Amino acid sequence: MRIDRTIIVLTAAMAALLAFTPFLPNWAMFLFTVSLCYGVVVLGMMLLVRTGLVSFGHGLYYCLGAYAAGTLEPLFGITELAVMIGSAVAVTAIVSAILALLLRKYRDIFFAMLSLAFSMILYGLLVKTSSLGSTDGFNVTVKTLFGLHIADTAYERYLIFALTVLICWTCAVLMHFYLKSHRGRLAEAIRDNELRVEYMGASVANTIHLHYVMSAVLAGLGGALMAVSVGHIDPEMAYWTTSGEFVFITILSGTGSVLAPFLGATIFESIRSFAYEYSPNTWQMALGITMLMVIMFLPGGLWSLFKRASRRVA
Amino acid sequence: MSVILEARDLQKSFGAVTAAADINVSVESDTVVGLIGSNGAGKTTFLNIVTGYLKPTSGSIYFDGRDITSLGPRQITRLGICRSFQIPQLFDTLSVRDNLLVGVGIVASAGGSWRHAANTDSEPAKAVETMLARFDLQSYRDMSAGTLPEGIRKLLDIAMAMVAQPRILLLDEPTSGVSAEEKFALMDLVMEAVRNQKVTVLFVEHDMEIINRYTHRVLAFSEGRIIADDEPEVALNDPEVRKYIIGETLHVKRRDSHATA
Amino acid sequence: MTTLVAVLVDGLIYSSWLFIMAIGLTLIYGVMKILNIAHGSLFALGAYTAASLAGHWFEQGYLPMGSYAIMLLAAILVGIVAGPLLERGLLRFMYGRDEIVLVLVTYATFLILEDFIKLVWGVDPYFLYQPYGLLGSFDIGELTYPNYNLLLLAMSVAIGGILAWTLTRTRYGKILIAVIHDREMAASQGVNVSLVYFVTFTLGAMLGALGGALTAPMISVQPGIGAETIVLAFAVVVIGGLGSLPGAALAALLVGIVRAATIHFRPELDLFSIYFVMAAVLIARPKGLFSAQEARKI
């Protein structure tokens, strides 16, 4: 069997990140961490967009994942990283599986707006929860990884980074194979014509349900990884403008490949850290203009540029 | 011959409008049945009820002796009743090949295995190639469905309905929007494919030449009722059918000379 | 008893405010099928412009009552500059695209305008408190309400009334309804759809800016007010049924009263209550309180 090119690129990128990051300055490791966290959220958004759904409320799961991981310490005294990540996955899976019962009936802007409402419900609750720091949020404490004490050690940051890389790699590979499976291919079919999908014998509602839960868990993972990497979380993660950023990166990246979300997130984060430094008040303006350009001239997102270039080479 | 599809006392009304009334039909397997009638006579409504898209106000549908009235399009498709549409329902951004692959994938995974990835040498890909060949679509395989000419869209729409290897195929105006020169070629292709798979066919059609040439039996609809149910030669010469559906000036006999010419 | 009255009065005031926020949004959606996120920016633009112009008015020591006219002028100014600019310069190239694409386009516009506002007005807050107290106040029991709230109430009733009258009783209203019902058919009957869109969007933009201008005296005008307001307006419009005028009125009333009650009894659930109402209404009526039937597909 011929080995898939996407898998080769993913694996090479993972190896490079694991091997070279220790030698890079702190800000670079931070940049890659944030890009990976956003990337894995956008990976889920990409699956939804392929299914024809744009969520303006995925901040809900991003925030929920972060709080599911972060609150283990203040609530139960748990500081084991693996448990924190597991908690984020479990909580986002359960909540999304319930909400999907409702959301799977909605399409287009109604889907977008109802997801936005759910995320704002969480935001509204968190900003008034003084025990969790209200709008200020709180600090997240990690002490052990698989029982190994890592807090305040020289390799703490690197280990968390390596875990982030591994999780993102796994998610991307699984998603890649899923998209090529029969069920995965239904995504675009549903986006194009739901009636025909039902008339060929497949369930649109069940597929949307599954894809919604998958994307929610990925967003939860992104949030939890962000929480343990940055060490601080706040309700802003559920605010609609955070969800808007995810939508932005998804549109910017394009949905052509599982590589696209990570590429898009890295570009987004690089520009953001640069813009914050030099021109904090025109950063959103640059984003808006870029987004208009992509919508007008590059409907397939940045990924379509890569595809075009690689076709020319080949 | 055994009865494969039966409609008993079907009634359907939309508010004050009666779309189906007193519909009692039995269809034997391996026959080709034509449904004729003017616009709004209830032909498409009949297909929509049979496939579960609409629920009848009263009455029931039996498939192979089993009551399927309460089922939806998905379950009914899985039982073996598939349909094409008056306006082709395709996955417009996908290629012709991928359109069929989605269908093949659904059928393959209906047995429980969602896992199979589609490599070019795997079973699903082979099934797609067979369908492409059977419907003479090979030259369009990599074009996206949204860019196809109308006749080809119709053909692909019918091919999509055949992917699941149905026992009953319902076609809603297969030749509407197809040019006069192409329509017989299209119907020949479809009927050839149908014969290969031993499928019972019901099709809605306005073109009496097509009806006369391909059907064994004709159901004539008017205002939700069936006003004639007979062999095409008889049904098409029925005075009521001529009055309400065909119009006085058309003569069925002429078609025979056309067919032999 | 006093609490109940207070809830009703607070609720009514808040409803008026919500209605003014939502009306332009629902008008634009109803006619153009654009869910305009940039409505939040138009709101902010209206607030900033009003705060600057009216602030200047007070600094010069002109007749204080004139400030209300200045606020109105600010809203009209924003509407007739920003409305045509956005509609002619951007949105008209997008007509016919998916509704969700249009949402993304207006989201991009929102991002651009947010920074535009920061560039023009900076990030420090502006205050325009004078008009809020200028009209005196009225008492209900032990509670004192500035009469400015009555102005809000009157404005919302007037705007709603004028729009309803325009839609049902005038030629322009009939044209609008034709365009809403079937754009192509209206165009083939000789309706200048492009002009209708232009006028509608400008009017909607003006209403958004008016919302901002009227709100300016009650808040500190600072970055982020557009983002806060637009999601509230969304909630109202979605609850009412997108594009429905009576829907928006009823939804504003519902949300206003629920929120007032929440603030009186469980203040910690303030924001939560609004979106909870939205989710609850959508669960019961998936397309909002007032929504149109869809046509058969096959």
Side-chain angles (χ1 to χ4, degrees):
Chain A
M1 198 182 113
R2 206 168 54 100
I3 297 173
D4 200 306
R5 208 199 304 180
T6 307
I7 303 297
I8 298 174
V9 175
L10 272 175
T11 311
M14 173 182 73
L17 280 174
L18 288 179
F20 297 123
T21 319
F23 308 106
L24 293 177
N26 261 339
W27 64 262
M29 193 195 301
F30 185 74
L31 176 72
F32 284 130
T33 307
V34 176
S35 304
L36 285 168
C37 294
Y38 265 50
V40 81
V41 181
V42 174
L43 186 67
M45 294 280 290
M46 175 181 100
L47 178 64
L48 275 186
V49 170
R50 273 184 174 237
T51 319
L53 299 168
V54 176
S55 162
F56 255 92
H58 251 44
L60 169 65
Y61 299 108
Y62 180 64
C63 183
L64 203 59
Y67 273 73
T71 50
L72 285 184
E73 192 258 335
L75 293 182
F76 309 107
I78 296 172
T79 51
E80 162 62 44
L81 183 51
V83 178
M84 291 163 83
I85 302 287
S87 157
V89 170
V91 170
T92 47
I94 292 167
V95 172
S96 63
I98 295 168
L99 291 187
L101 286 174
L102 184 65
L103 278 162
R104 69 190 210 175
K105 294 181 197 149
Y106 292 81
R107 301 293 180 268
D108 305 322
I109 48 175
F110 290 93
F111 180 85
M113 288 303 113
L114 191 57
S115 1
L116 185 144
F118 283 131
S119 71
M120 290 303 287
I121 285 179
L122 180 68
Y123 176 78
L125 284 178
L126 288 178
V127 292
K128 299 285 173 156
T129 309
S130 48
S131 59
L132 292 176
S134 301
T135 48
D136 294 335
F138 63 96
N139 288 334
V140 175
T141 320
V142 178
K143 290 218 172 99
T144 57
L145 173 60
F146 300 121
L148 177 76
H149 186 88
I150 59 167
D152 303 319
T153 60
Y155 45 81
E156 178 189 5
R157 298 209 58 82
Y158 180 73
L159 277 182
I160 292 178
F161 176 72
L163 185 75
T164 306
V165 172
L166 279 174
I167 289 177
C168 289
W169 181 83
T170 312
C171 292
V173 168
L174 289 177
M175 182 62 83
H176 181 67
F177 283 120
Y178 177 74
L179 289 175
K180 294 198 347 176
S181 73
H182 289 321
R183 178 61 82 106
R185 221 182 282 111
L186 279 184
E188 285 161 301
I190 288 172
R191 181 194 62 201
D192 276 6
N193 196 332
E194 291 187 16
L195 184 74
R196 176 53 100 176
V197 170
E198 286 279 328
Y199 263 112
M200 296 197 97
S203 168
V204 170
N206 289 347
T207 309
I208 287 180
H209 200 126
L210 177 71
H211 289 184
Y212 185 76
V213 173
M214 285 169 76
S215 72
V217 168
L218 288 172
L221 268 176
L225 290 171
M226 189 69 116
V228 297
S229 304
V230 177
H232 182 84
I233 54 180
D234 61 51
E236 193 78 18
M237 297 175 95
Y239 198 57
W240 75 271
T241 49
T242 308
S243 305
E245 280 183 359
F246 297 143
V247 173
F248 176 86
I249 305 174
T250 313
I251 303 300
L252 176 75
S253 312
T255 58
S257 159
V258 296
L259 295 169
F262 294 99
L263 189 76
T266 310
I267 293 173
F268 179 86
E269 281 308 322
S270 310
I271 300 174
R272 168 149 72 187
S273 38
F274 184 79
Y276 265 180
E277 193 94 356
Y278 297 102
S279 180
N281 288 344
T282 53
W283 145 249
Q284 292 193 84
M285 189 176 276
L287 281 189
I289 292 169
T290 312
M291 188 149 167
L292 287 180
M293 295 296 214
V294 170
I295 291 171
M296 278 194 264
F297 304 116
L298 208 61
L302 287 178
W303 187 251
S304 60
L305 280 183
F306 273 78
K307 220 171 152 190
R308 229 178 286 167
S310 73
R311 203 173 297 156
R312 209 169 298 143
V313 172
Chain B
M1 280 194 279
S2 62
V3 171
I4 187 166
L5 183 74
E6 193 184 356
R8 282 188 208 155
D9 298 326
L10 280 189
Q11 310 275 347
K12 176 73 194 178
S13 42
F14 300 101
V17 181
T18 303
D22 302 326
I23 306 275
N24 282 289
V25 180
S26 295
V27 178
E28 277 102 30
S29 54
D30 293 337
T31 53
V32 177
V33 181
L35 277 58
I36 60 172
S38 51
N39 287 324
K43 307 173 303 286
T44 300
T45 301
F46 180 68
L47 294 195
N48 283 344
I49 293 175
V50 169
T51 56
Y53 185 74
L54 292 175
K55 294 281 163 267
T57 314
S58 66
S60 29
I61 305 276
Y62 293 86
F63 172 56
D64 244 359
R66 176 181 170 185
D67 187 346
I68 58 165
T69 320
S70 61
L71 303 181
R74 176 164 29 102
Q75 291 102 323
I76 289 177
T77 301
R78 290 198 164 198
L79 289 176
I81 302 180
C82 296
R83 77 173 283 185
S84 76
F85 299 83
Q86 191 180 340
I87 300 159
Q89 300 291 327
L90 305 172
F91 307 125
D92 278 348
T93 65
L94 304 186
S95 67
V96 170
R97 177 182 174 276
D98 286 350
N99 265 270
L100 291 168
L101 193 56
V102 167
V104 170
I106 292 171
V107 176
S109 49
S113 57
W114 293 109
R115 287 182 296 278
H116 302 294
N119 301 315
T120 38
D121 51 345
S122 67
E123 287 297 318
K126 255 188 240 161
V128 168
E129 292 306 321
T130 312
M131 292 303 289
L132 286 172
R134 186 171 292 163
F135 284 87
D136 207 9
L137 287 166
Q138 292 106 321
S139 49
Y140 301 97
R141 72 196 298 276
D142 295 319
M143 279 174 72
S144 52
T147 62
L148 297 172
E150 187 60 21
I152 304 302
R153 283 174 65 80
K154 283 292 224 199
L155 197 55
L156 178 58
D157 191 54
I158 296 166
M160 302 273 278
M162 289 291 285
V163 164
Q165 302 187 324
R167 294 181 58 208
I168 300 181
L169 179 65
L170 309 170
L171 306 175
D172 197 350
E173 301 197 18
T175 66
S176 75
V178 179
S179 72
E181 305 87 70
E182 287 174 333
K183 66 186 183 187
F184 288 110
L186 182 143
M187 285 306 290
D188 283 343
L189 265 174
V190 172
M191 288 303 160
E192 173 73 23
V194 164
R195 258 191 296 278
N196 276 333
Q197 295 190 8
K198 291 218 172 251
V199 186
T200 306
V201 181
L202 273 76
F203 71 91
V204 172
E205 186 55 69
H206 284 296
D207 190 318
M208 296 307 149
E209 287 180 304
I210 301 280
I211 290 285
N212 202 33
R213 185 152 161 175
Y214 294 101
T215 62
H216 302 126
R217 178 180 168 193
V218 170
L219 299 175
F221 284 75
S222 181
E223 293 178 5
R225 285 164 203 280
I226 294 179
I227 56 169
D229 173 3
D230 221 316
E231 292 174 4
E233 294 78 25
V234 182
L236 297 184
N237 283 308
D238 181 282
E240 292 233 343
V241 171
R242 299 188 71 82
K243 184 175 169 199
Y244 292 113
I245 303 171
I246 306 175
E248 298 292 342
T249 51
L250 257 152
H251 300 281
V252 174
K253 277 291 165 217
R254 236 177 55 203
R255 229 130 282 86
D256 294 334
S257 58
H258 184 271
T260 49
Chain C
M1 191 61 208
T2 323
T3 322
L4 193 65
V5 173
V7 165
L8 281 177
V9 173
D10 282 349
L12 208 56
I13 291 166
Y14 193 57
S15 301
S16 315
W17 183 80
L18 281 173
F19 181 71
I20 298 171
M21 296 311 113
I23 188 73
L25 194 64
T26 210
L27 176 72
I28 290 174
Y29 183 83
V31 178
M32 306 168 76
K33 297 286 169 289
I34 297 176
L35 191 60
N36 183 19
I37 296 184
H39 201 68
S41 316
L42 293 165
F43 168 88
L45 277 172
Y48 271 104
T49 310
S52 294
L53 291 184
H56 186 71
W57 181 269
F58 283 110
E59 264 170 39
Q60 298 299 313
Y62 297 138
L63 183 72
M65 282 298 168
S67 62
Y68 297 104
I70 297 298
M71 284 158 62
L72 195 65
L73 186 73
I76 294 172
L77 200 66
V78 170
I80 58 172
V81 173
L85 214 60
L86 290 179
E87 201 274 338
R88 287 289 98 183
L90 176 66
L91 292 174
R92 76 185 165 108
F93 301 111
M94 301 290 170
Y95 295 150
R97 304 280 291 263
D98 269 2
E99 285 182 23
I100 199 78
V101 173
L102 286 162
V103 171
L104 296 176
V105 168
T106 62
Y107 175 57
T109 312
F110 165 83
L111 291 174
I112 294 170
L113 288 178
E114 283 295 282
D115 272 0
F116 172 78
I117 289 170
K118 279 187 211 155
L119 287 178
V120 174
W121 281 279
V123 291
D124 295 326
Y126 282 69
F127 297 98
L128 179 68
Y129 54 87
Q130 298 95 329
Y132 192 51
L134 216 53
L135 296 171
S137 59
F138 65 97
D139 293 330
I140 294 176
E142 292 159 14
L143 298 161
T144 302
Y145 293 92
N147 283 336
Y148 188 80
N149 292 317
L150 297 178
L151 180 71
L152 274 187
L153 187 63
M155 284 302 276
S156 71
V157 172
I159 293 170
I162 291 171
L163 270 182
W165 179 79
T166 312
L167 279 177
T168 52
R169 296 292 152 86
T170 64
R171 203 178 104 80
Y172 184 71
K174 288 194 180 112
I175 292 174
L176 263 191
I177 286 167
V179 172
I180 292 168
H181 199 73
D182 190 334
R183 184 163 75 108
E184 266 120 53
M185 192 61 85
S188 74
Q189 297 290 312
V191 173
N192 186 345
V193 173
S194 166
L195 182 70
V196 169
Y197 277 18
F198 176 80
V199 172
T200 305
F201 192 83
T202 305
L203 191 64
M206 218 177 273
L207 287 169
L210 181 64
L214 289 173
T215 311
M218 307 191 289
I219 58 171
S220 68
V221 180
Q222 59 190 17
I225 55 170
E228 272 170 44
T229 310
I230 187 63
V231 283
L232 289 175
F234 273 155
V236 172
V237 168
V238 170
I239 289 171
L242 283 163
S244 164
L245 190 66
L250 191 62
L253 212 55
L254 182 68
V255 171
I257 305 263
V258 168
R259 181 174 180 264
T262 318
I263 285 182
H264 274 274
F265 300 113
R266 299 293 298 273
E268 72 277 10
L269 295 180
D270 170 13
L271 200 53
F272 169 84
S273 67
I274 295 172
Y275 295 100
F276 184 77
V277 170
M278 173 170 167
V281 167
L282 285 184
I283 289 166
R285 289 189 65 91
K287 298 220 155 163
L289 296 172
F290 290 69
S291 55
Q293 281 279 322
E294 262 181 61
R296 184 177 118 183
K297 280 189 207 118
I298 55 171

